[in-house]
């Protein structure tokens, strides 16, 4: 299931964000959780001040785009941490090569 940026804004802003905050429940909400090349979507989500006040960070995968793409979000929203939450090799790949690729952020 994929949500547009505005759907994610409405979901976070109108439901778990304020409800968790009001209940005093400290749990992290991470926006996006997809590939680096989706930084424009992350920026659109974080441009909403209510959402920005309740999220813990932005989550990225390494399968699309390049590592520098997420810097577009980091420069626009420097106070929001970015996390790489998924990155794995392909079938038949070598663990060392996968790990090196993950660390450097390049395909």
């Amino acid at each position: 299931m994929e949500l547009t940026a505005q759907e994610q804004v409405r979901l976070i802003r109108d439901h778990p964000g304020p409800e968790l905050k009001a209940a005093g429940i400290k749990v992290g909400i991470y926006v996006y959780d997809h590939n680096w090349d989706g930084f424009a979507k992350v920026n659109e989500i974080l441009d909403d001040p209510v959402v920005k006040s309740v999220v813990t960070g932005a989550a990225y995968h390494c399968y699309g785009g390049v590592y520098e793409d997420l810097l577009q979000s980091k420069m626009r929203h420097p106070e929001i941490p970015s996390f790489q939450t998924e990155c794995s090799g392909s079938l038949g790949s070598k663990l060392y090569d996968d790990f090196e690729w993950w660390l450097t952020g390049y395909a």
Side-chain angles (χ1 to χ4, degrees):
M1 179 173 104
E2 184 173 342
L3 300 174
T4 67
Q6 285 308 305
E7 288 170 331
Q8 288 189 53
V9 166
R10 284 191 302 276
L11 175 68
I12 296 166
R13 182 191 63 214
D14 300 343
H15 298 288
E19 293 166 9
L20 291 168
K21 196 172 188 177
I25 299 172
K26 297 188 187 306
V27 64
I29 298 174
Y30 296 86
V31 300
Y32 189 57
D33 203 27
H34 199 45
N35 295 326
W36 293 325
D37 55 5
F39 67 87
K41 189 181 245 187
V42 173
N43 285 341
E44 188 176 345
I45 296 165
L46 295 176
D47 284 344
D48 184 282
V50 174
V51 170
K52 193 173 187 174
S53 72
V54 298
V55 300
T56 303
Y60 288 92
H61 299 178
C62 70
Y63 308 115
V66 293
Y67 181 75
E68 286 80 7
D69 287 343
L70 75 84
L71 297 177
Q72 300 297 320
S73 308
K74 198 63 185 159
M75 291 179 354
R76 187 160 168 172
H77 301 283
E79 67 282 8
I80 301 296
S82 295
F83 299 90
Q84 182 171 295
T85 58
E86 184 180 317
C87 188
S88 63
S90 59
L91 186 61
S93 62
K94 295 180 180 149
L95 180 60
Y96 175 81
D97 293 338
D98 293 343
F99 191 63
E100 180 180 36
W101 179 77
W102 184 81
L103 288 173
T104 59
Y106 295 98

